Amino acid sequence: MQPNNRWHTLETADQVALAAYEQILKSAEQAIADHGTFKLVLAGGSTPEKVYRLLAHADADWSKWYIYYGDERCLPADHADRNSLMATSAFLEKVAIPDSQIFTIPAELGPETAAKKYQQIVASALPFDMVLLGMGEDGHTASLFPGHQHQEEELAHAVYNSPKPPPERVSISAKALSNTQQLIFLITGANKQEAVKNWRSGQDLPVATIIPENPIDIYIDRDAYNP
Ligand code: 6PG
């Protein structure tokens, strides 16, 4: 397990969302003061929605925010299960981040084409200022799944046979996700207990391949981890 992870255990999923929201805003202010932009990678799945709904009401210098996605499902751009659709309806359509600064993964083009296109976008973006990630019940993160092989030097991967539907996806690589100033994991719910235990016991899971230079902040509720 990464030696310097910071585990923040909170009572409820709402408290997890609020704590992460506060760190994101603080990180944005720091990054904008430091170099004039805030490059944020959004997590997929359902856990981050609470954070995105809080961000929708924040007072921030949105003109300096640049948005990327950690992964995307290969579905039509308007499909209800797209990570971009959830982030847009919960957050992005409610704030004044310029459309030209929101980099959606064109996953509707299929894994290979979309990964090649996103590889260029990630290459131009690195290093990120903050990456948000979730974790699945099997210890996956973004669309990096146990047992899947990828070219390590890639910045974006084409993903096939995902155990979590849909089978085809695009994921930013562990190498690129780790190239960030700050990184937050958002983990809630009793169904994540086993994966948390395995991660903490040092199992070689996809979550454990995300190793930024600085400590990782893991915001987790008591349902998912009750030491
Ligand atoms: C996806 C996500 C995936 C997600 C985890 C947790 O596209 O499904 O990127 O990595 O973060 O599976 O999902 P929940 O937050 O819904 O539990």
Side-chain angles (χ1 to χ4, degrees):
M1 182 173 75
Q2 297 91 319
N4 54 2
N5 290 352
R6 293 190 291 236
W7 293 77
H8 310 275
T9 307
L10 299 157
E11 287 307 314
T12 66
D14 285 341
Q15 287 172 352
V16 163
L18 186 60
Y21 158 77
E22 287 167 353
Q23 184 173 338
I24 292 166
L25 289 185
K26 196 160 147 257
S27 167
E29 273 173 37
Q30 283 165 350
I32 291 167
D34 179 52
H35 51 265
T37 57
F38 178 56
K39 293 179 278 186
L40 172 64
V41 178
L42 297 182
S46 57
T47 303
E49 183 166 357
K50 286 178 185 287
V51 180
Y52 300 162
R53 291 195 181 284
L54 290 170
L55 285 169
H57 300 284
D59 176 17
D61 186 355
W62 300 119
S63 68
K64 305 286 194 320
W65 287 47
Y66 289 74
I67 301 293
Y68 305 85
Y69 288 86
D71 72 328
E72 187 56 274
R73 298 122 182 236
C74 290
L75 297 165
D78 60 355
H79 192 288
D81 291 347
R82 282 274 299 230
N83 289 328
S84 54
L85 189 125
M86 185 276 277
T88 299
S89 56
F91 168 35
L92 299 175
E93 70 184 11
K94 297 180 165 68
V95 297
I97 299 173
D99 288 347
S100 61
Q101 293 171 204
I102 298 174
F103 299 91
T104 306
I105 300 175
E108 63 280 3
L109 302 176
E112 282 307 328
T113 307
K116 277 201 179 62
K117 287 179 179 290
Y118 216 60
Q119 170 97 6
Q120 303 311 320
I121 290 168
V122 173
S124 311
L126 291 177
F128 296 123
D129 291 303
M130 176 171 277
V131 170
L132 304 180
L133 287 171
M135 183 189 72
E137 294 176 25
D138 59 359
H140 79 255
T141 190
S143 285
L144 304 170
F145 293 97
H148 284 210
Q149 305 300 323
H150 294 293
Q151 303 286 332
E152 276 188 13
E153 71 284 354
E154 286 180 337
L155 299 178
H157 300 314
V159 176
Y160 300 92
N161 307 313
S162 161
K164 177 178 182 181
E168 295 190 346
R169 293 155 167 261
V170 177
S171 186
I172 291 187
S173 65
K175 172 184 174 185
L177 289 169
S178 303
N179 191 346
T180 181
Q181 183 62 22
Q182 293 189 41
L183 191 138
I184 286 179
F185 273 98
L186 298 163
I187 303 174
T188 62
N191 62 325
K192 307 294 174 74
Q193 268 181 25
E194 189 63 23
V196 168
K197 195 157 59 63
N198 294 338
W199 183 9
R200 289 181 61 87
S201 66
Q203 263 193 35
D204 181 20
L205 299 170
V207 283
T209 66
I210 309 298
I211 311 176
E213 255 174 49
N214 297 325
I216 287 173
D217 287 296
I218 302 158
Y219 289 98
I220 190 162
D221 71 357
R222 282 235 179 272
D223 285 343
Y225 175 55
N226 197 350

